[in-house]
Amino acid sequence: MDLGLTDSIAVVTGGSSGIGLATARLLLADGARVAICGRDAARLGAAVSQLGGPNAKTLLAERCDVLDRGQVEAFARKVAQWGGGRLDLLVNNAGQGRVSAFADTTDEQWRQELELKFFSQILPIRAFLPLLRKSERAAIVAVNSLLAMQPEPHMVCTSAARAGVQNLLKSLASEFAPHIRVNSVLLGLIDSGQWQRRFEARTNRSQSRAEWMSELAAEKKIPLGRLGDPDEPARAIVFLGSRAASYITGASLEISGGVSRSI
Ligand code: NDP
């Protein structure tokens, strides 16, 4: 299947690790030119090496906190210069989850989580909208979580915020149609940065990574019996952002190894 990504211009926020990095790698392999961002310069530098080293034509890597409007606007200006004034695909992926139950979550933590989940979508979409409007094949893909549909009490504010983001994306799919498609992926457990950090903080230090992951998959009752690999959501993100998905907008695709209980 031809994804029609050759010479397209793509932005992947949080492209320096995990799912974002895997998405950037697949987009480059399919012939796209890719701009990634993250907050940490060392992580960005390592990502550039993993993506084949510096290549000014195909890869732009910029420090940018997606919650800082000035930085997001500066990133959009850089992309405009580098990409010739248009953007074909915006992948809003940057972020992380918060583990806390209602009783343990302060008002300030609620505000931070709502800000992260909403403004990591709102600020990049607003800044890149003029460039997306210059494209004939414009698409936005938001990386969201199955928690939006299936809340977990131990991730109470992340779950609630993620549900709100799905609602926002549905409105945007209508408002931006027919010119810009807006879709999302709803992830279950994907073996990337945040699970590596939780593994490193494990209480049972004698447990190997493989043992810890397989216990986690069993505890979470994942029908496919394992966490996902970052390439697995990345493939879905690339598909939804490509011309191959030209009649899909306002949709969400679950990538959870079967964890979803809804029909
Ligand atoms: P990683 O920690 O591996 O990657 C997160 C990326 O986002 C990094 O590049 C990080 O770089 C960047 N990032 C985080 N905050 C910001 C910010 N404010 N501004 C710019 N960049 C930022 O995690 P994943 O690949 O797992 O996560 C990708 C997305 O998928 C996240 O939104 C996450 O919440 C979501 N998700 C992941 C699940 C999983 O099981 N892995 C499940 C459900 C959703 P830096 O820290 O240097 O800024």
Side-chain angles (χ1 to χ4, degrees):
M1 180 167 62
D2 179 11
L3 296 177
L5 286 163
T6 307
D7 292 329
S8 61
I9 311 288
V11 163
V12 182
T13 69
S16 60
S17 173
I19 296 154
L21 178 58
T23 303
R25 188 185 297 113
L26 292 186
L27 286 167
L28 286 166
D30 274 316
R33 300 173 61 199
V34 182
I36 61 172
C37 78
R39 294 163 302 177
D40 185 85
R43 217 183 335 264
L44 269 177
V48 169
S49 303
Q50 288 182 57
L51 293 171
N55 182 333
K57 180 165 168 21
T58 56
L59 181 61
L60 177 72
E62 288 289 314
R63 276 185 72 188
C64 167
D65 181 340
V66 293
L67 300 185
D68 181 317
R69 190 167 56 173
Q71 291 184 27
V72 176
E73 287 172 355
F75 181 41
R77 284 195 295 276
K78 275 267 168 79
V79 171
Q81 261 176 350
W82 169 81
R86 70 162 214 281
L87 179 66
D88 302 306
L89 170 60
L90 172 62
V91 179
N92 277 333
N93 160 79
Q96 60 187 18
R98 177 184 289 278
V99 178
S100 64
F102 186 79
D104 314 321
T105 312
T106 64
D107 291 354
E108 186 50 28
Q109 288 168 336
W110 270 99
R111 288 198 176 91
Q112 282 171 1
E113 188 61 0
L114 292 169
E115 183 182 3
L116 174 62
K117 295 299 178 287
F118 278 95
F119 283 87
S120 63
Q121 302 294 329
I122 292 168
L123 293 182
I125 289 173
R126 210 196 291 288
F128 285 104
L129 202 50
L131 299 184
L132 287 163
R133 288 201 163 118
K134 299 261 173 56
S135 167
E136 300 282 300
R137 47 177 157 171
I140 296 169
V141 180
V143 175
N144 206 349
S145 165
L146 195 57
L147 293 172
M149 322 294 279
Q150 200 162 284
E152 293 277 1
H154 74 283
M155 294 186 76
V156 66
C157 52
T158 295
S159 298
R162 295 242 183 242
V165 167
Q166 278 310 104
N167 190 294
L168 165 70
L169 296 169
K170 201 71 174 173
S171 292
L172 296 183
S174 297
E175 183 176 335
F176 295 165
H179 199 72
I180 305 170
R181 296 181 302 103
V182 182
N183 293 295
S184 64
V185 289
L186 299 179
L187 307 184
L189 278 68
I190 307 299
D191 181 0
S192 56
Q194 55 184 302
W195 290 107
Q196 177 61 24
R197 290 190 287 278
R198 290 187 209 178
F199 164 67
E200 283 163 9
R202 71 197 180 285
T203 40
N204 179 358
R205 307 302 294 176
S206 66
Q207 225 174 7
S208 71
R209 194 172 192 283
E211 285 165 349
W212 189 85
M213 288 292 175
S214 104
E215 196 175 289
L216 179 63
E219 182 197 314
K220 299 289 182 187
K221 299 189 173 59
I222 302 174
L224 291 187
R226 62 177 175 84
L227 273 70
D229 182 84
D231 272 353
E232 295 178 311
R235 285 197 289 270
I237 294 165
V238 170
F239 165 69
L240 287 173
S242 76
R243 278 188 161 143
S246 52
Y247 201 54
I248 303 177
T249 196
S252 51
L253 185 53
E254 288 173 13
I255 299 130
S256 71
V259 159
S260 164
R261 286 191 296 274
S262 59
I263 296 172

